[in-house]
């Protein structure tokens, strides 16, 4: 694997991890009818998904 | 039949599986159609899932349990269970005049074209103030309670229309010149709850 390919793979894995973690937090937050769970959804889950998607778009555009 | 939360979880797990298959399988990104599949898995589906989750949370935020999850609202929740039926909110809650699971939202939304959205924006502000800002010791409505919210249900109802007291001031009620709450109070009595008898909700 060449260095650019290795970097691409590493970034994709980071993006995937962030998105997956964010989505799992979002899913977990739906099981509680509390204002705090909305904060977890928007603040933590949404933040992680946004970061992951952003990293993915950056990776693809830089490729 | 799965609940909406279970369906969402299943959707999320499917996305995670797709992400893992693409990111941890060497060469899949560069395979035929790999970039399009990656775009779907890393961008389209997560965005779709997040928007769907937000819609579910918006529905959750209409529930009484959600509103009463903030400490500052506890006394308002208790006021729904006061046994004295002279209390307007308690009478509505206990007699099923409002859906108990959506009691707060039923009366405190605005029955206008964008009323639900305005109510949601106010709700976001409340969450911000409660968790990140400084909540006042005593909370109050942003504006006087509008008869429009009462008439949304009571207008045309036999029990409401048949009352001569209502007929005498019908125009004033519609135009909001006379507030329903001038006669129908207290609404949420949060200052005299110590020792008050409470109604117990029958178990389903």
């Amino acid at each position: 694997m060449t260095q650019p390919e290795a970097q691409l793979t590493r970034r994709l894995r980071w993006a995937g991890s962030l998105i997956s973690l964010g989505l799992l937090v979002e899913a977990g937050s739906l099981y509680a009818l509390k204002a705090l769970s909305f904060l977890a959804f928007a603040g933590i889950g949404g933040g992680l998904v946004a970061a992951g998607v952003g990293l993915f778009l950056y990776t693809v555009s830089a490729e | 039949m799965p609940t909406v939360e279970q369906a969402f979880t299943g959707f999320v797990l499917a996305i995670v599986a797709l992400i893992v298959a693409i990111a941890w399988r060497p060469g899949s990104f560069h395979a035929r159609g790999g970039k399009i599949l990656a775009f779907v898995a890393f961008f389209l589906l997560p965005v779709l899932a997040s928007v769907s989750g937000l819609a579910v949370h918006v529905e959750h935020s209409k529930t009484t349990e959600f509103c009463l999850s903030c400490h500052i609202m506890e006394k308002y929740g208790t006021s729904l269970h006061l046994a004295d039926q002279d209390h307007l909110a308690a009478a509505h809650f206990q007699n099923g005049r409002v859906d108990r699971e959506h009691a707060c939202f039923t009366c405190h939304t605005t029955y206008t074209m964008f009323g639900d959205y305005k109510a949601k924006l106010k709700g976001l502000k409340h969450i911000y103030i409660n968790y990140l800002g400084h909540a006042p010791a005593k909370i109050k409505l942003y504006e006087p309670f509008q008869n429009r919210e009462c008439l949304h249900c009571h207008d045309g109802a036999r029990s409401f229309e048949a009352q001569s007291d209502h007929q005498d001031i019908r125009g004033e009620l519609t135009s909001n010149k006379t507030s329903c709450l001038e006669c129908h109070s207290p609404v949420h009595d949060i200052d005299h709850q110590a020792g008050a008898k409470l109604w117990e909700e029958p178990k389903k």
Side-chain angles (χ1 to χ4, degrees), chain B residues 10-145:
Chain B
F11 184 39
V12 161
L13 291 176
I15 298 172
V16 171
L18 191 58
I19 286 173
V20 169
I22 293 170
W24 272 267
R25 214 173 114 208
S28 59
F29 184 75
H30 292 291
R32 190 181 169 88
K35 284 180 184 169
I36 293 173
L37 190 62
F39 185 73
V40 170
F42 284 75
F43 180 76
L44 284 184
L45 291 179
V47 170
L48 182 66
S50 295
V51 171
S52 308
L54 184 64
V56 177
H57 265 292
V58 167
E59 280 307 306
H60 282 177
S61 69
K62 294 177 182 175
T63 62
T64 309
E65 191 180 343
F66 182 94
C67 297
L68 301 182
S69 67
C70 291
H71 175 66
I72 199 168
M73 298 305 295
E74 272 178 13
K75 284 189 172 180
Y76 291 86
T78 304
S79 75
L80 300 175
H81 289 86
L82 291 173
D84 183 355
Q85 296 267 313
D86 284 342
H87 293 82
L88 187 69
H92 275 74
F93 183 80
Q94 294 167 29
N95 292 309
R97 291 179 196 145
V98 292
D99 172 13
R100 283 184 201 143
E101 289 185 7
H102 300 92
C104 311
F105 183 79
T106 305
C107 294
H108 289 283
T109 187
T110 308
Y111 290 102
T112 56
M113 184 180 277
F114 300 109
D116 276 12
Y117 297 102
K118 283 183 184 170
K120 292 298 127 233
L121 286 175
K122 281 181 191 169
L124 275 179
K125 188 177 170 187
H126 295 163
I127 291 174
Y128 174 80
I129 291 172
N130 191 64
Y131 288 108
L132 305 169
H134 180 70
K138 188 164 185 173
I139 57 175
K140 57 180 183 180
L141 295 173
Y142 292 107
E143 56 184 27
F145 197 82

Side-chain angles (χ1 to χ4, degrees), chain A residues 8 12-13 16-17 19-20 23-24 26-27 29-31 33-39 41 49 53 56-57 63, chain B residues 5-6 8-9 12 15 19 23-24 29-30 35 38 42-43 46 50 53-54 57 60 65-66 69 124 131:
Chain A
L8 174 81
L12 275 180
R13 286 178 182 176
S17 300
I19 293 169
S20 299
L23 287 175
L24 290 172
E26 287 185 359
S29 76
L30 291 183
Y31 287 89
L33 290 177
K34 294 186 186 304
L36 206 55
S37 67
F38 176 77
L39 273 188
F41 173 88
V49 170
V53 167
F56 169 73
L57 292 176
E63 214 241 336
Chain B
E5 292 82 11
Q6 290 167 337
F8 183 84
T9 306
V12 161
I15 298 172
I19 286 173
W24 272 267
F29 184 75
H30 292 291
K35 284 180 184 169
F42 284 75
F43 180 76
S50 295
L54 184 64
H57 265 292
H60 282 177
E65 191 180 343
F66 182 94
S69 67
L124 275 179
Y131 288 108

